[in-house]
Amino acid sequence: FNSLNHDMTLTEFKFIWYMEYSHRMWGRVVGLAYILPAAYFWWKGWLSRPMKGCVLALCGLVCFQGLLGWYMVKSGLEEKPDSYDIPRVSQYRLAAHLGSALVLYSASLWTGLSLLLPRHKLPETHQLLRLRQCAHGTTALIFLTALSGAFVAGLDAGLVYNSFPKMGEHWIPDDLLAFSPVLRNIFENPTTVQFDHRILGIASVTAVTALYLFSRKIPLPRRTQIAVTSLLAVACMQ
């Protein structure tokens, strides 16, 4: 209010407050949905030794995610008397919070599907190994693209250029390496952050498309075919 939104009304503030409050409460509900059933299953002796380790890791990730969220929000509430920038949370902490959430979600989904759906016993052919390697590489690229999106959000970098495929009148903006040292641009220069996110996004869609085309050449179970096709559809929609 003091730095930016001088004309904000109490009603407008309440809208933002309830968004934050709902997010926190939802996070706590998620935590309880993990920890309470896990404790009950543990007490009943329904968990195998490997599953106990998995459950502890997932519960630990839930707690870490909440702690990281508090640490992120804290960065946006720190007084910076020498700064004239818009008050915002640290883009580094925002990326860490999002990355941790993606890891938690992926690990939960993987664990759940591993229990619900038995693994297909396929012959380990050269093509299948290559497909698996491509899938892992594509996963890493998508994860990196999502993290770069957190830097775009944290720096409001989406507001710098709103044209595509060019950025303004140029393919490569003039202020791409305006900061010194050069490495700072990747994480703190809004132009570079948006440029990197665009490149990573295009690379992700290209990798998913290549994965889909490669998978069509291999005899795969129907479940796997549906998964790869769904991945392509979601990548195009995104």
Side-chain angles (χ1 to χ4, degrees):
F1 182 85
N2 291 331
S3 305
L4 184 65
N5 300 309
H6 305 292
D7 57 345
M8 178 179 280
T9 64
L10 182 59
T11 302
E12 290 171 333
F13 172 75
K14 283 182 177 181
F15 175 75
I16 295 175
W17 189 92
Y18 276 115
M19 285 181 66
E20 174 68 16
Y21 179 77
S22 301
H23 182 67
R24 292 187 182 203
M25 291 302 107
W26 184 255
R28 289 166 185 170
V29 168
V30 170
L32 291 175
Y34 262 87
I35 295 169
L36 293 181
Y40 179 74
F41 295 157
W42 194 303
W43 175 65
K44 281 287 191 178
W46 293 346
L47 302 178
S48 64
R49 187 179 180 86
M51 186 52 61
K52 285 181 178 179
C54 188
V55 165
L56 284 176
L58 287 173
C59 289
L61 267 174
V62 170
C63 297
F64 177 72
Q65 177 68 8
L67 183 65
L68 203 53
W70 166 81
Y71 184 61
M72 178 195 72
V73 171
K74 183 174 179 291
S75 68
L77 301 176
E78 294 171 352
E79 293 286 349
K80 300 172 184 176
D82 299 328
S83 174
Y84 296 97
D85 195 12
I86 296 172
R88 54 164 62 95
V89 299
S90 164
Q91 68 271 27
Y92 296 101
R93 299 185 192 183
L94 177 61
H97 189 49
L98 175 64
S100 174
L102 288 173
V103 169
L104 173 61
Y105 181 77
S106 301
S108 303
L109 185 62
W110 185 280
T111 303
L113 291 179
S114 299
L115 294 170
L116 292 171
L117 302 174
R119 186 170 182 170
H120 284 297
K121 297 188 182 298
L122 301 175
E124 292 291 331
T125 63
H126 177 68
Q127 280 187 317
L128 190 63
L129 289 174
R130 286 286 304 276
L131 180 67
R132 189 176 292 130
Q133 290 172 350
C134 290
H136 290 163
T138 303
T139 301
L141 184 58
I142 292 171
F143 182 75
L144 187 62
T145 304
L147 287 190
S148 74
F151 281 91
V152 172
L155 291 171
D156 286 332
L159 304 177
V160 181
Y161 292 97
N162 62 358
S163 56
F164 186 86
K166 288 185 175 181
M167 297 178 72
E169 299 297 322
H170 304 91
W171 289 100
I172 301 177
D174 297 332
D175 55 340
L176 195 67
L177 300 175
F179 291 10
S180 182
V182 175
L183 191 62
R184 273 187 63 205
N185 290 280
I186 299 174
F187 305 106
E188 299 180 13
N189 184 339
T191 298
T192 312
V193 166
Q194 189 191 126
F195 181 81
D196 291 344
H197 188 59
R198 289 178 179 220
I199 298 300
L200 286 168
I202 293 169
S204 292
V205 173
T206 304
V208 170
T209 305
L211 181 70
Y212 171 79
L213 294 175
F214 182 40
S215 72
R216 301 288 289 177
K217 300 177 181 179
I218 307 173
L220 295 170
R222 177 171 171 77
R223 195 170 75 203
T224 310
Q225 292 175 351
I226 293 174
V228 178
T229 304
S230 301
L231 177 65
L232 178 63
V234 172
C236 293
M237 183 172 64
Q238 176 70 4

